[in-house]
Amino acid sequence: MSDEKKICMIKPIKQIPIHSFLLCPVIIFFLFVRNLNIVSFDSTYRSFIISLLISIIFFILFFFLLKKDIHKAGITTSASILIVFFYGFVYEFMERLYYKGLFPLGHIHRYLLIIIFIFILLLLYFLLRTKKTFQSLTYSMNIFVISLMLINIFNLSVHLINKKNPKEDTIINHQSNHQPFIHDTFPDIYYIILDGYASDS
């Protein structure tokens, strides 16, 4: 590959904040690959589309708020996407602390939204005041997101190859009568964990 072609390939990665649009889809893709045995692509493609649309809307909004600086808009977009994506995990963590008596405030959603709003305002203020270009940060985040995507593609490829060449059913010895049987003869057992309960009313 000539030096000119290498430069043409690297240039977009340095100048365009690809991470803003791929960060959330990459996380969803990672979860999809990790749960291939229980989910299908038909149940996840809507999440890809919605996350991409949200990323585009966020980027356009921050692009104009940050005086059309593409790198600063990319950083703010990725930060906002991460906040949205991990909001549920943070809320559940604070809820557990609240019920253990380690977090004194109720109405967790209210305080979380206020904290997020203040954080976004401070980030916008900092980016508007600073004279840094953040091009190197854009390049690093692009490399990180692209690397995650390639790793997920590799894992998916390995899974599909193994699925085409399934191994023979393993024989397991039963402890009671020591007679071999195929593991597929186990009964279906469902363990249901409820993530919420109805109110007293």
Side-chain angles (χ1 to χ4, degrees):
M1 184 181 293
S2 63
D3 293 337
E4 293 182 358
K5 290 183 178 180
K6 290 182 179 179
I7 294 174
C8 291
M9 291 178 62
I10 295 175
K11 191 174 181 180
I13 299 177
K14 287 186 174 181
Q15 296 184 348
I16 302 174
I18 305 172
H19 59 86
S20 302
F21 311 102
L22 291 183
L23 183 59
C24 200
V26 163
I27 296 174
I28 295 172
F29 187 47
F30 168 76
L31 295 174
F32 168 69
V33 173
R34 293 282 294 182
N35 297 278
L36 279 171
N37 295 326
I38 57 176
V39 297
S40 63
F41 182 77
D42 293 337
S43 62
T44 58
Y45 75 91
R46 293 185 185 88
S47 300
F48 285 104
I49 296 173
I50 293 173
S51 65
L52 182 59
L53 290 175
I54 293 175
S55 300
I56 293 173
I57 293 171
F58 277 16
F59 182 82
I60 293 173
L61 174 64
F62 293 129
F63 179 73
F64 288 104
L65 287 176
L66 293 167
K67 299 179 180 180
K68 299 182 179 181
D69 190 309
I70 192 171
H71 300 293
K72 293 179 180 180
I75 293 171
T76 315
T77 300
S78 292
S80 302
I81 290 296
L82 286 175
I83 290 172
V84 171
F85 194 88
F86 290 103
Y87 181 89
F89 298 101
V90 176
Y91 174 81
E92 290 180 358
F93 174 73
M94 294 180 69
E95 188 179 42
R96 286 195 294 269
L97 292 180
Y98 174 77
Y99 286 116
K100 290 180 179 179
L102 301 176
F103 186 75
L105 303 175
H107 304 289
I108 299 173
H109 284 297
R110 181 186 305 172
Y111 295 107
L112 267 181
L113 291 174
I114 292 174
I115 293 172
I116 291 171
F117 182 72
I118 293 174
F119 171 78
I120 296 296
L121 287 180
L122 291 175
L123 181 60
L124 289 173
Y125 177 77
F126 167 75
L127 292 175
L128 283 170
R129 298 283 294 179
T130 186
K131 295 181 180 180
K132 294 182 180 181
T133 60
F134 294 100
Q135 185 173 353
S136 59
L137 182 58
T138 296
Y139 180 65
S140 300
M141 293 181 70
N142 284 344
I143 293 296
F144 174 72
V145 171
I146 292 173
S147 299
L148 284 180
M149 178 65 76
L150 293 176
I151 292 172
N152 289 330
I153 292 174
F154 173 77
N155 291 334
L156 178 61
S157 302
V158 171
H159 175 82
L160 294 176
I161 291 173
N162 291 335
K163 192 174 182 180
K164 289 182 179 179
N165 302 309
K167 296 180 180 179
E168 295 182 359
D169 290 331
T170 57
I171 304 301
I172 305 175
N173 292 326
H174 194 278
Q175 294 180 356
S176 60
N177 53 19
H178 302 286
Q179 294 180 354
F181 64 95
I182 300 176
H183 72 277
D184 289 340
T185 59
F186 281 121
D188 294 329
I189 300 175
Y190 299 92
Y191 183 59
I192 301 174
I193 302 176
L194 302 178
D195 61 352
Y197 297 93
S199 63
D200 294 335
S201 61

